[in-house]
Amino acid sequence: PLLLAIWAGFILLIVAYATTLRSLIPAASRWPKLLFAVLLFGVFVRLLYASATPYNVRDYDTGGHIDYVDYVQQYWKIPIAQNGWEFHQPPLYYAFSAVLLQAASPLHLPKSLLYQSLAGWSLVASILTFAVMLYCLTILFRPDEGKTAVLGGLMLSVFTGFVFFASRITNESLSIF
């Protein structure tokens, strides 16, 4: 119940923030109402997926990412090449994650809860990626083609290639952003 209340509060805060932000933006630069509704729907889909999918589900490479985060947190540097780490991985995600783990370490929380919170970085990146994609649709389509932009936004809001990364411990979500 506590986790569900946290998620519900998080969703309500995002909706309240988005609607307040939309009202503060001048009318000439606002997104169409339908596209704004698509944005809220896409955020809801990602939050729902992340709340229902633990970080260790569909985790074909999560162990390596967790090892990388733990190494950065412990030594505050990128591992050396001779250790066999995958160096094609962009390190910014791991730096953010190490800072989060270090900040939470005085709370003595269980590792599983800490790792679930690391998936929150991916959720935020997934939401930001979706918002950027919607913005790109407003650039690609003229204002009189609003229905096409809305349909494209609806397709992107449920496209599994982007929603999939919303609950994983992976740097790929930040790389996609």
Side-chain angles (χ1 to χ4, degrees), residues 3-4 8 15 20 30-31 36 39 45 47 78 83 95-97 111 114 118 120 132 134 136 141 144 158 176:
L3 190 58
L4 182 61
V15 169
T20 303
R30 278 190 202 156
W31 284 3
F36 182 70
L39 173 67
V45 166
L47 286 170
I78 297 172
N83 286 353
F96 283 149
S97 299
K111 280 286 194 182
L114 290 174
L118 285 183
V132 168
L134 285 182
C136 290
F141 297 105
D144 61 330
V158 295
I176 291 170

Side-chain angles (χ1 to χ4, degrees), residues 96-111:
F96 283 149
S97 299
V99 168
L100 177 67
L101 286 181
Q102 190 65 31
S105 65
L107 301 175
H108 302 291
L109 297 171
K111 280 286 194 182

Side-chain angles (χ1 to χ4, degrees), residues 68-79:
Y68 203 125
V69 169
D70 288 341
Y71 185 91
V72 172
Q73 182 199 6
Q74 186 176 2
Y75 299 107
W76 293 106
K77 63 180 182 177
I78 297 172

Side-chain angles (χ1 to χ4, degrees), residues 44-54 58 163-167:
F44 176 73
V45 166
R46 281 149 181 78
L47 286 170
L48 185 65
Y49 180 76
S51 67
T53 309
R58 300 176 194 92
V163 176
F164 173 70
F165 293 108
S167 71

Side-chain angles (χ1 to χ4, degrees), residues 4-27:
L4 182 61
I6 290 171
W7 278 105
F10 190 62
I11 290 171
L12 289 174
L13 280 174
I14 288 175
V15 169
Y17 180 74
T19 54
T20 303
L21 191 63
R22 186 176 191 278
S23 68
L24 295 174
I25 296 173

Side-chain angles (χ1 to χ4, degrees), residues 68 78 89-98 171 174:
Y68 203 125
I78 297 172
Q89 304 289 346
L92 186 59
Y93 176 85
Y94 304 110
F96 283 149
S97 299
N171 66 329
L174 191 59

Side-chain angles (χ1 to χ4, degrees), residues 38 41 46 130 133-134 137 141 148-163:
V38 169
F41 175 71
R46 281 149 181 78
F130 179 63
M133 288 188 293
L134 285 182
L137 286 175
F141 297 105
T148 307
V150 168
L151 288 175
L154 284 172
M155 286 191 305
L156 290 172
S157 69
V158 295
F159 180 61
T160 56
F162 295 118
V163 176

